[in-house]
Amino acid sequence: MSNIDTLLEKISKTRENLLNHNIYLNLNSEDAIAKFMETHVFAVWDFMSLVKALQKELTCVKTPWQPTKDKVSRRLINEIVLGEESDIDQNNNPISHFELYVEAMDRIGAKTDSINTFMENINGFDSIDQAIDNSLIPDAAKDFMKFTFDIINNKEVHVIASVFTFGREDLIPDMFINIVKTLNEKEESKSDDLLYYLERHIEMDGDEHGPMALKMISELCGNDNNKWNEAAEYSKIALEKRIKLWDSILKDISMN
């Protein structure tokens, strides 16, 4: 069994629990999806910081320019940066996936005050933890983001890459997409922007990026058993953090 297969086996049960989470059965109305998006948007946002951390580590972002060692990883990250930071909207206008998501929130009727205020004030604090603590963000989202930035600020690149690869936004099951498609078929639906975001995101993660990401992990961990163990450990924690986030959102939805 390869190291990648071993890692995947170690996280498989946690990943399955996430994909089968009860939250998806409860996202059966635009109101419920709007509530979901109000918290999930913070995970959509902090994903970009993971991407940028990897871009900084695996590509050359300074002058004078020099080619970095890992050709596969730098291609993968540059492609993902292009797709995530500079995609196109339904009218072929340049837009990031984060901005696309916020526009979808506006369209469906989700509140965007918290995320917009956070984005406006983020540079007014000495640290990202201060910015998170002093913003009106759901507690579960605060915990989720603090984990992300702890990984970015304190862990080696193989751990950052593992959390990015195994714990992030590609973990959207077909069930959720089918729910959104069903809602979108209703007259005067407001979920078409969300459906576009989901489909674009999945398209960007398609057949090419997945295998490239696994190759990136293999290159970064090499034959170092400690690195492979850390990759599995933190990938599992990332999935557990996502489950806690879903638990909190499901509780909020159920209370309404």
Side-chain angles (χ1 to χ4, degrees):
M1 183 180 290
S2 70
N3 286 321
I4 279 288
D5 289 335
T6 300
L7 188 156
L8 290 172
E9 184 176 12
K10 286 180 178 179
I11 68 173
S12 61
K13 185 174 181 180
T14 309
R15 189 176 189 277
E16 184 178 347
N17 289 340
L18 176 58
L19 292 174
N20 293 322
H21 198 284
N22 284 335
I23 193 170
Y24 302 111
L25 296 173
N26 287 269
L27 297 176
N28 51 14
S29 70
E30 288 186 344
D31 286 344
I33 291 176
K35 192 71 176 176
F36 167 83
M37 295 177 79
E38 288 168 8
T39 298
H40 178 231
V41 66
F42 291 97
V44 174
W45 171 77
D46 84 346
F47 171 77
M48 277 307 303
S49 290
L50 272 177
V51 173
K52 286 296 184 177
L54 287 173
Q55 187 182 37
K56 185 172 71 172
E57 292 286 342
L58 299 172
T59 74
C60 184
V61 291
K62 63 182 180 180
T63 56
W65 177 85
Q66 288 181 302
T68 52
K69 179 180 179 181
D70 191 338
K71 298 175 184 178
V72 171
S73 295
R74 75 183 186 220
R75 177 176 176 84
L76 171 66
I77 294 306
N78 282 330
E79 281 191 1
I80 289 174
V81 168
L82 175 64
E84 291 289 340
E85 194 172 35
S86 305
D87 200 7
I88 54 172
D89 65 14
Q90 289 153 297
N91 297 311
N92 288 321
N93 297 311
I95 193 170
S96 70
H97 280 188
F98 168 74
E99 292 165 309
L100 196 62
Y101 194 88
V102 174
E103 287 188 3
M105 290 177 68
D106 283 328
R107 170 80 170 142
I108 208 169
K111 297 175 183 177
T112 58
D113 293 356
S114 292
I115 186 63
N116 288 337
T117 301
F118 175 69
M119 295 300 296
E120 290 170 3
N121 298 336
I122 193 171
N123 291 322
F125 296 91
D126 293 334
S127 69
I128 184 61
D129 278 0
Q130 282 189 9
I132 292 170
D133 284 334
N134 289 279
S135 301
L136 293 175
I137 300 171
D139 287 342
K142 287 183 177 181
D143 181 60
F144 187 89
M145 289 193 291
K146 284 187 175 183
F147 168 75
T148 297
F149 282 96
D150 179 60
I151 294 297
I152 290 171
N153 294 327
N154 299 307
K155 300 302 178 183
E156 294 184 48
V157 64
H158 66 281
V159 174
I160 300 173
S162 299
V163 170
F164 163 82
T165 299
F166 299 112
R168 306 308 299 184
E169 300 306 311
D170 62 326
L171 292 166
I172 299 173
D174 291 340
M175 180 195 306
F176 182 33
I177 297 169
N178 288 333
I179 289 171
V180 177
K181 283 182 177 179
T182 300
L183 291 173
N184 198 46
E185 291 170 356
K186 294 182 178 179
E187 188 176 355
E188 297 183 356
S189 171
K190 299 177 182 177
S191 60
D192 52 336
D193 287 352
L194 175 58
L195 181 60
Y196 180 80
Y197 163 83
L198 293 170
E199 290 178 337
R200 288 298 291 175
H201 203 88
I202 290 169
E203 183 180 342
M204 292 293 165
D205 287 336
D207 294 336
E208 184 175 357
H209 286 178
M212 285 176 71
L214 295 181
K215 187 169 177 57
M216 174 178 67
I217 301 298
S218 294
E219 293 286 341
L220 292 173
C221 291
N223 295 317
D224 190 323
N225 288 332
N226 288 331
K227 287 185 177 181
W228 280 108
N229 288 334
E230 287 180 337
E233 176 188 356
Y234 285 100
S235 296
K236 184 176 180 181
I237 294 172
L239 293 169
E240 290 169 346
K241 292 289 184 182
R242 177 75 62 157
I243 289 172
K244 285 182 65 177
L245 186 68
W246 274 195
D247 287 344
S248 177
I249 298 174
L250 178 57
K251 184 178 179 181
D252 288 343
I253 291 172
S254 301
M255 291 173 62
N256 286 279

